[in-house]
Amino acid sequence: MRPALSARRLIRLGHHEKKSQISNMQQQHNFTADDDDFAALYEKNTLETGEIREGSIVVGTVVDIIGDYAVVDVGCKAEGQVPLREFAEEDGTVNVHVGDKIEVLLEATEDANGLVILSKDKARKRKVWDEIQSACEAEGLVNGIIQARVKGGLAVLLQGGVKAFLPGSQVDLRPVRNLDTFINKEFSFKIIKFNKKRGNIVLSRRVLLEAERANLKSDTLNRLQEDQIVEGVVKNLTDYGAFIDLGGIDGLLHITDMSWGRVNHPSELFQVGDKVKVKVLKFNSDSERVSLGLKQITADPWVNAETRYIPGTVVEGKVVSIKDYGAFVELEEGIEGLVHVSEMSWTRQIKNPKQILKIGDEVRAVVLDIDVSQNRISLGMKQLEENPYDKVLETYPPGAVVEGVIRNIADFGVFVELEPGIDGLVHITDLSWTQRVRHPSELFKKGDKVRAMVLNIDNSGEKPKISLGLKQLAQDPWDRIPYDFPIGKIVEVKILKLTDFGAFAELEPGIEGLIHISEISEERVEDPRTHLEPGQKARAEIIQMDAQERKIGLSIKSARRQDDLADAQGFTNASEAGATLGDVFAGRFKDRS
């Protein structure tokens, strides 16, 4: 091959001239071949003469195309071959012609065939790396396309086909959860680490964003002022609000300033990335804190609300929140009213509004009260229905006998349900005329049906209180007790209970009297239990009677005196038991006459 032979001749000639140059330099400067400074001097001489060196990039001319190679003359009496594949375009076509000027890397001055070893691809890559190095040293920027996700970050392909690494912490100003969203996108980067020998390049996008944000921040701080309407981008959402990027500086839009209405979470109104116009409520340039408002851009719906929601007005709305004490109803955007649990039904015992309502229900209610200063409206649902208590006095007049079911038992009495939602109370003192009731459960249980008399109705409250009585259905035995048991009458009693101060004795079922400790015996009694016992029967004289207080005083020793006196006169017999001494004498004198 002609180009190869020519190249070999040129290379031999170059070697002969090089040896001659070395000999002349040694004689001129008095150097030996082993001198350390000789290599440096030779290098300098080579640069001055323009001689090519291994590892350098040179400009050559395509002088011929043979087979799969292009023959390139790089000057200085040397030629080399470059594979045609290194001239291939992206679509695979080879674009090279004789006479083209190209840059190649001189890898070696001679191969086995005596040719100079050249590479167009390596020259291109070397030039790209040199450009990247220059950009790094000048703190410039490089462009690249993010190709894939790798361990710890992203792989970036820079211009010229050089690969670099973008750490995850350097992708954005804030940590990015999903790095896949950056793949196949082109960005500008700053080189933060460069090692040409190892082929290692580390990039940062965050540094550029921080610089850009700093410039924006300075501009924003200069123009920002209170009451100004500005546009920003939702940057982050929290439970208590949203952070809005105003351009290099973030402002807080608190959840209470998002809407005149109810907002349970900012995500109901915004998503990250949304553009929003807000009003600057407060701004401190020193601390760089900005408070924003969205609802303040529109009119306050509570202005003149008292003219639209007059007490007694029937309104419609949607249930937006339910608490233990009531339900909030949205009447219009920004205005809510509270239906207290006590205002939901006249008769039903509602412990929690969730028993009858759920969020989203459309309801009708009556405005009960409005306080604009507190942004409060009280609503009532039961007011739309007829009040059953208005007819209670007409349906249950005092003295009427009613029937009902015992709904509840308390220490102080029993509640009787007369009809759904209407109860009456039988106090413990109105259960029985004569029976001592310690607790109503001794006589009744829930579900028992009873008859009672209406004693009184108290309409002073919202819900009338009905007083009932069971004992009033029977005659009060105390109407006759003073006549059946006059003072001085001796009766046979049954000891029921012993105490330190005496004994309680039964005169007849339900009628009791007290035998004081001083009325048990003529002798001094220290303890009634030494003379009496429960269930024992004894004769006693009625010495005290108080019908109003329902108290009877008895005396055993007085009865014994009467008996002793009668015995002394000889007037005692079995038929006279229970009569007073006067009765006995009167009968005796009548018989004699």
Side-chain angles (χ1 to χ4, degrees), residues 384-486:
L384 295 174
E385 303 173 356
E386 184 179 4
N387 186 353
Y389 299 128
D390 292 341
K391 296 184 178 181
V392 166
L393 191 59
E394 178 183 343
T395 307
Y396 305 103
V401 178
V402 295
E403 292 185 354
V405 177
I406 295 179
R407 184 181 60 83
N408 193 24
I409 298 176
D411 295 339
F412 52 84
V414 295
F415 290 92
V416 180
E417 185 180 56
L418 304 179
E419 60 181 80
I422 297 181
D423 294 344
L425 172 65
V426 181
H427 195 269
I428 191 171
T429 58
D430 291 311
L431 293 176
S432 173
W433 287 113
T434 58
Q435 193 170 357
R436 287 182 176 270
V437 182
R438 297 180 179 179
H439 195 276
S441 59
E442 297 176 2
L443 303 177
F444 304 102
K445 63 181 182 295
K446 288 184 180 181
D448 285 351
K449 292 184 179 180
V450 295
R451 295 176 72 249
M453 178 181 291
V454 179
L455 303 181
N456 183 48
I457 296 180
D458 182 2
N459 279 319
S460 59
E462 180 182 302
K463 183 177 180 179
K465 296 179 181 179
I466 303 176
S467 297
L468 304 176
L470 295 181
K471 69 181 184 181
Q472 285 77 6
L473 295 178
Q475 184 179 1
D476 186 356
W478 279 92
D479 292 341
R480 60 174 178 81
I481 290 300
Y483 301 100
D484 292 347
F485 300 97

Side-chain angles (χ1 to χ4, degrees), residues 33 60 281 285 311 427 447:
L281 304 181
S285 58
H427 195 269

Side-chain angles (χ1 to χ4, degrees), residues 496 503-507 511-515 551-554:
L496 297 178
F504 288 96
E506 182 183 60
L507 286 75
I511 306 299
E512 299 177 5
L514 172 64
I515 305 173
K551 293 181 179 180
I552 300 176
L554 302 174

Side-chain angles (χ1 to χ4, degrees), residues 319 322-327 341 344-345 347-359 361 381:
V319 177
I322 297 178
K323 305 296 182 182
D324 293 340
Y325 53 83
V341 67
M344 293 183 177
S345 175
T347 58
R348 290 184 60 179
Q349 298 292 327
I350 301 175
K351 295 182 178 179
N352 191 302
K354 291 181 180 180
Q355 294 176 226
I356 61 172
L357 295 174
K358 63 180 182 296
I359 293 178
D361 283 351
M381 293 170 57

Side-chain angles (χ1 to χ4, degrees), residues 198-218:
R198 294 185 178 182
N200 184 20
I201 300 176
V202 180
L203 306 175
S204 173
R205 179 171 172 263
R206 177 179 177 179
V207 173
L208 304 182
L209 296 176
E210 288 176 343
E212 180 182 350
R213 184 174 178 83
N215 294 332
L216 288 173
K217 180 179 180 180
S218 177

Side-chain angles (χ1 to χ4, degrees), residues 62 65 67-70 82-98 100 120:
V62 179
I65 298 177
D68 294 331
Y69 294 89
V82 178
L84 293 181
R85 65 175 181 274
E86 295 190 12
F87 294 90
E89 303 288 346
E90 292 184 358
D91 59 359
T93 60
V94 177
N95 186 13
V96 61
H97 304 87
V98 175
D100 287 349
K120 182 177 179 293

